[in-house]
Amino acid sequence: MSESIWGYAPTAGHAAGTDLIGYKVEATDGSIGKVDKHSDDVNSAYLVVDTGVWIFGKHVLLPAGTVKTIDQAERKIYVDLTKNQIKGSPEFDKDKHVGDAGYHEQLGGYYQSHRGL
């Protein structure tokens, strides 16, 4: 694995401390929702995306390594995944997403297998 799925790529354009809440999230094939929560923690950076009506109010957790670029002017985040890949991701668990290494391994493994990392 050449890069951590839990960290922003240097080319993503993310500056630590930037508030991403409310940014629109775009998959490779269309919009998936808005950022509800995010973390810049080293080796544990992520976005929690509220998908709204797209997947009936489901929230998804996207590791920061899935972010391709961040457009500050447009308030949009582009991820390197399709809508179906995101829809098929492991269920977001609000109680496990902080501090549960096993949950992070499960999510990280899913997204790495879909990105070819």
Side-chain angles (χ1 to χ4, degrees):
M1 180 170 51
S2 60
E3 62 181 275
S4 170
I5 193 80
W6 296 103
Y8 289 96
T11 55
H14 177 66
T18 302
D19 184 4
L20 301 175
I21 294 173
Y23 276 50
K24 290 182 181 176
V25 181
E26 301 284 331
T28 58
D29 56 353
S31 181
I32 63 157
K34 291 185 177 182
V35 176
D36 190 48
K37 183 178 178 181
H38 69 95
S39 168
D40 287 338
D41 293 349
V42 175
N43 297 322
S44 187
Y46 61 84
L47 305 171
V48 175
V49 180
D50 180 351
T51 62
V53 296
W54 175 56
I55 338 180
F56 307 109
K58 181 179 171 182
H59 284 73
V60 293
L61 186 132
L62 299 177
T66 64
V67 173
K68 196 167 36 176
T69 57
I70 298 173
D71 185 331
Q72 302 286 351
E74 293 287 323
R75 293 180 52 85
K76 287 186 179 179
I77 298 171
Y78 296 88
V79 296
D80 195 17
L81 296 161
T82 67
K83 287 173 144 185
N84 275 340
Q85 288 170 329
I86 294 165
K87 194 174 187 176
S89 68
E91 188 76 30
F92 172 66
D93 187 326
K94 66 180 177 59
D95 297 322
K96 287 186 180 177
H97 82 281
V98 176
D100 186 320
Y103 182 64
H104 273 212
E105 281 181 34
Q106 178 190 12
L107 275 170
Y110 173 84
Y111 286 116
Q112 285 173 326
S113 70
H114 285 84
R115 293 186 60 235
L117 289 178

